[in-house]
Amino acid sequence: MKNDTKHFQVGIIMGSKSDLDIMRVAAEVLSEFNVSHEVRIISAHRTPDAMTDYAASAQERGLKLIIAGAGGSAHLPGMTASHTPLPVIAVPIKRPGRAPAALYSSIEMPPGIPLAVVPENGAHHAALLAIEILSLQDSGLAKQYSAYRAGLKKAVLQDDAQAQTKGWQSLLKEE
């Protein structure tokens, strides 16, 4: 969401444009909830000074948290967390045929620098976690998120009711 007149609440960063196919989902979810955000490509290895500057200035610029996605050795989320007091949510990016190195890199952070980690390719989860965190200080967002969760519950109950009345096979025909 590009908006030059107000501060962004969430920073979405990734190591390269090849991560955008996964990380765009976080931006889309935040947009659905009208949460202001910026999307940046910042590499821990190729642009370490830019990464440090971004993380160190994030709070001053008005960000409330950062979602960081990276594949391979995935140093971006952890290194970002080491340069900011803001919560950082790691999205380990997993590609077919590749080892889960990004996940291991994120979950094996040393003590003292916390890093929230969602499932591999879990940009959707990361955005929802960001919304949960922001909802602690925003009652309007909290109501919107509560309605979203109620919608999830309703959908499951409707599917169960259909399975009970029309048989589970009827659910497969809808796909």
Side-chain angles (χ1 to χ4, degrees):
M1 172 179 288
K2 185 162 173 54
N3 187 336
D4 296 326
T5 61
K6 72 178 197 177
H7 290 116
F8 297 111
Q9 293 179 284
V10 178
I12 299 172
I13 60 175
M14 63 206 80
S16 70
K17 71 178 181 181
S18 66
D19 300 329
L20 191 56
D21 65 325
I22 302 296
M23 298 303 291
R24 72 176 177 80
V25 176
E28 292 167 353
V29 170
L30 293 172
S31 290
E32 287 176 29
F33 282 86
N34 297 312
V35 173
S36 63
H37 58 278
E38 63 182 2
V39 176
R40 301 281 308 273
I41 297 172
I42 300 173
S43 171
H45 300 110
R46 293 179 295 270
T47 59
D49 293 337
M51 182 219 54
T52 300
D53 292 344
Y54 181 85
S57 69
Q59 187 174 30
E60 178 182 301
R61 292 183 298 108
L63 292 180
K64 303 295 183 209
L65 59 93
I66 298 169
I67 298 171
S73 58
H75 291 111
L76 182 63
M79 290 304 297
T80 299
S82 74
H83 289 287
T84 184
L86 297 177
V88 177
I89 303 169
V91 178
I93 295 180
K94 173 81 166 77
R95 300 296 177 185
R98 304 258 339 242
L103 175 64
Y104 294 146
S105 177
S106 295
I107 62 174
E108 295 180 353
M109 286 287 291
I113 304 296
L115 180 66
V117 183
V118 297
E120 291 174 322
N121 299 338
H124 188 263
H125 287 358
L128 292 177
L129 180 56
I131 290 164
E132 286 181 344
I133 293 167
L134 294 171
S135 290
L136 295 171
Q137 300 294 320
D138 183 335
S139 62
L141 186 58
K143 287 178 187 171
Q144 189 179 3
Y145 184 63
S146 180
Y148 167 80
R149 298 273 305 246
L152 295 176
K153 177 181 177 180
K154 181 180 178 182
V156 170
L157 293 174
Q158 287 174 337
D159 288 346
D160 182 54
Q162 181 176 335
Q164 297 305 309
T165 58
K166 296 181 181 178
W168 61 267
Q169 297 89 343
S170 68
L171 294 170
L172 296 174
K173 293 175 184 171
E174 293 178 1
E175 293 180 348

